[in-house]
Amino acid sequence: MGLLTIGTFAKASRLSPKALRLYDELGLLPPARVDPASGYRLYAPEQLEQARLVAWLRRLGMPLARIQRVCALDATAAAQEIRAFWAQVEADTAARRDLASFLVDHLLGKDPDMPPIAEPLTIRYAVLSDRGQVRESNQDTAYAGPRLLAVADGFGSEGAPASAAAVQALKLLRPDVIPVGDLLSVLGDAVVQIGRTINTGVQQGDSPEEGGTTLTAMLWTGSRLALVHIGDSRVYLLRDGGLFQITHDHTVVQSMLDEGSISPEEALSHPQRSMLVRALGASVDASPDVRLQDVRRGDRYLLCSDGLSAVVATEAIHQVLSHTRRPEQAVRELVALANGSGGPDNVSCVVADIVESGR
């Protein structure tokens, strides 16, 4: 069989000609030959298997950059990559399902204050913040208490007071007296107000340099965790042996990854990898992500600044969280890993375990 026209190849692979042209531009699925006179793309029959794999992975919702990585792997490694991707999708879907269930109950007038779990649970936590090996001061603010877990990563001339102000404002919230049905609205409004306050302080300062902070925090209601997130600090969940990132970075590079315009490997060294598209007190979008997170006994949560996540591999973080018994030990080991990798930034960690009350 000779070469196939793009139309014939599109029908056989179940990919549109428009998609094939895009995949050619990205280097994901280049044609076997391009006619020098007409510019028509021609494909070899043996390319159909890879094209069908690309089509199936797109139906799964996998970003193009990740598909490109899968297609470069052997069958065993590709299967492992697809399994890992789908585990993340299931974790994200479970979080959205929990929020949808909560909203349905709330709109139908069911009592949202009734805990969804029978056993009384509480959180056991530890926090550690360090300036790292390079920075002269620590602009991070990290906090862990019986009602609040928080990490804020300040930047610019007013970064330290901005991160401290953000966490301090959340300490004033009382999730135990706020109706669960109102909690997300109260939390979102509080963060928007924090952003306005920080903006006012920066504008009144003597330095022309912009300042602001990220903010990633969880409020404990007694049966759920209310999550608020803006910026590139992160929350990871260790559940049933798997580690899942349950926040989405608000950065230029993450947006490029979502679009499939760069690969994860390119993102690691991209010059704009720390540029935020959402933050508090900066000239960017200040709208936070908020949601309720149902918990299980045995869950372990990690909140961290990018001083950890940007320099320590996810596998190493997983190893520490899986093999340390107490949160105090976990935060010490995680900070040591960041400093052992050069400690180029301030590093802050909060580790919290969901345990039975009284244990």
Side-chain angles (χ1 to χ4, degrees):
M1 184 184 297
L3 297 179
L4 306 176
T5 65
I6 190 171
T8 302
F9 190 78
K11 290 179 181 178
S13 63
R14 299 185 179 179
L15 290 168
S16 70
K18 180 179 179 181
L20 288 171
R21 286 190 285 271
L22 173 62
Y23 300 161
D24 177 19
E25 292 171 4
L26 295 176
L28 175 60
L29 191 61
R33 188 169 73 87
V34 177
D35 187 281
S38 64
Y40 289 161
R41 294 170 171 84
L42 301 170
Y43 294 83
E46 54 267 28
Q47 291 182 281
L48 280 171
E49 184 175 354
Q50 181 175 350
R52 287 167 180 154
L53 175 60
V54 171
W56 289 330
L57 293 176
R58 287 301 288 161
R59 289 181 65 186
L60 283 179
M62 184 178 286
L64 289 175
R66 193 160 186 174
I67 290 175
Q68 193 165 23
R69 182 169 62 183
V70 169
C71 290
L73 300 173
D74 60 45
T76 300
Q80 292 174 344
E81 183 71 14
I82 293 169
R83 187 180 295 114
F85 168 76
W86 193 247
Q88 183 65 60
V89 170
E90 289 183 323
D92 294 342
T93 301
R96 292 195 297 271
R97 182 192 62 228
D98 293 341
L99 177 56
S101 177
F102 161 75
L103 291 173
V104 168
D105 288 348
H106 176 58
L107 292 171
L108 292 177
K110 295 183 181 180
D111 184 359
D113 293 314
M114 289 296 291
I117 40 184
E119 68 226 270
L121 298 177
T122 189
I123 53 174
R124 187 173 59 200
Y125 49 81
V127 57
L128 186 60
S129 184
D130 189 89
R131 69 179 177 88
Q133 303 296 298
V134 175
R135 299 294 176 89
E136 295 182 357
S137 63
N138 190 354
Q139 293 190 303
D140 285 1
T141 299
Y143 176 82
R147 294 194 304 265
L148 174 67
L149 313 168
V151 168
D153 182 355
F155 55 87
S157 61
E158 302 296 321
S163 67
V167 174
Q168 182 60 37
L170 290 188
K171 288 183 187 180
L172 301 177
L173 296 180
R174 292 290 303 273
D176 52 331
V177 299
I178 301 172
V180 175
D182 298 332
L183 184 56
L184 293 183
S185 295
V186 170
L187 192 54
D189 291 345
V191 171
V192 170
Q193 184 56 50
I194 292 168
R196 291 173 182 159
T197 302
I198 293 172
N199 260 329
T200 301
V202 170
Q203 291 167 4
Q204 292 176 348
D206 295 330
S207 172
E209 183 184 359
E210 228 173 39
T213 186
T214 70
L215 178 62
T216 300
M218 304 184 89
L219 284 172
W220 175 243
T221 71
S223 60
R224 290 185 177 101
L225 284 164
L227 168 66
V228 62
H229 166 68
I230 185 166
D232 61 353
S233 295
R234 292 180 177 179
V235 179
Y236 292 92
L237 166 62
L238 181 71
R239 174 178 285 177
D240 298 330
L243 185 67
F244 308 100
Q245 181 184 334
I246 63 172
T247 53
H248 197 69
D249 293 347
H250 299 144
T251 61
V252 170
V253 165
Q254 184 61 57
S255 298
M256 296 169 72
L257 279 169
D258 294 341
E259 295 166 357
S261 58
I262 63 171
S263 69
E265 291 76 18
E266 291 171 325
L268 294 175
S269 58
H270 197 282
Q272 294 180 314
R273 61 187 178 277
S274 298
M275 184 175 293
L276 298 169
V277 295
R278 283 201 245 171
L280 297 176
S283 300
V284 291
D285 184 0
S287 55
D289 295 336
V290 292
R291 78 159 190 261
L292 283 175
Q293 176 81 17
D294 276 343
V295 300
R296 300 180 191 172
R297 180 172 58 85
D299 283 350
R300 170 168 279 190
Y301 290 88
L302 165 66
L303 289 72
C304 65
S305 63
D306 68 337
L308 177 72
S309 58
V311 298
V312 177
T314 304
E315 294 78 7
I317 295 173
H318 191 182
Q319 182 80 4
V320 170
L321 294 176
S322 299
H323 293 87
T324 51
R325 183 178 177 186
R326 300 190 63 81
E328 295 85 354
Q329 180 186 0
V331 295
R332 286 195 300 268
E333 292 192 17
L334 290 169
V335 169
L337 279 177
N339 285 330
S341 299
D345 198 357
N346 308 148
V347 55
S348 297
C349 300
V350 172
V351 172
D353 293 340
I354 306 300
V355 299
E356 293 180 30
S357 294
R359 290 195 61 180

